[in-house]
Amino acid sequence: MRKIELDIIALSHSVTQSHSFAVVLGEVGGTRRLPIVIGGFEAQAIAVALDNMKPSRPLTHDLMKTLCDTFEIELEYVFITKLVDGVFYSNLVCKRGDDTFEVDSRTSDALALAVRFDCPIYVEESILKEAGVEADPNEENELAEAEDKPVAEAASAALTNYHQMTATELQTHLKAALDNEDYELAARIRDELNKRK
């Protein structure tokens, strides 16, 4: 099992799925890219940390970081371990004292925590061979231009297109907003749902 180190190099709208984002991971010291489709809320969680934004109340991933810090648990690294039917699986490799343990995690959550802990991200070599793509030489200019725009703005903007979402998508976003204690966002989603009744 060979681990390849990756960096988050871009966060953008997904071209394959509407209302979704793609986080693009780049091979450290290499040219391969690993795009992973994630939801809007997950993109927002990553974007907030990448842009060093400080929400007025802690987001779920900020709370997890605080809990880990309080109980002296270090996130050593994130390891993307497998790809099954288009779904990436990841482990959080944590350390407390002399004990090391692995915790199963959604890849989007693992990446949001990796940014907060400033820890390495690794992928199993076979996954990079299967799902990775070679970087396009023109891509570097596009990524540089994309980095000029705050990614949190892009993530937030995508979540405001409520009129284009189905009722089921809105219910999913409403639940996530309530889980994250983002009551302002939850109220806007609720208003859109009420308009449709």
Side-chain angles (χ1 to χ4, degrees), residues 17-113:
Q17 297 180 26
S18 62
H19 311 302
S20 293
F21 287 78
V23 59
V24 181
L25 304 174
E27 180 182 18
V28 172
T31 59
R32 292 179 290 181
R33 304 287 186 255
L34 184 65
I36 300 176
V37 175
I38 60 175
F41 289 103
E42 294 82 0
Q44 202 168 35
I46 293 169
V48 163
L50 285 174
D51 287 344
N52 294 313
M53 295 173 65
K54 300 291 180 211
S56 58
R57 300 290 298 139
L59 299 176
T60 304
H61 300 94
D62 299 319
L63 174 63
M64 291 179 68
K65 168 98 169 59
T66 301
L67 279 169
C68 288
D69 290 345
T70 301
F71 294 102
E72 299 177 350
I73 299 170
E74 298 174 44
L75 179 56
E76 294 283 296
Y77 61 90
V78 166
F79 185 29
I80 303 170
T81 57
K82 61 184 176 179
L83 174 62
V84 179
D85 298 327
V87 177
F88 291 90
Y89 290 78
S90 296
N91 287 335
L92 304 174
V93 179
C94 304
K95 188 171 184 176
R96 184 167 190 237
D98 294 332
D99 298 324
T100 299
F101 45 96
E102 293 187 18
V103 179
D104 182 35
S105 173
R106 293 187 319 162
T107 300
S108 56
D109 290 329
L111 296 175
L113 287 171

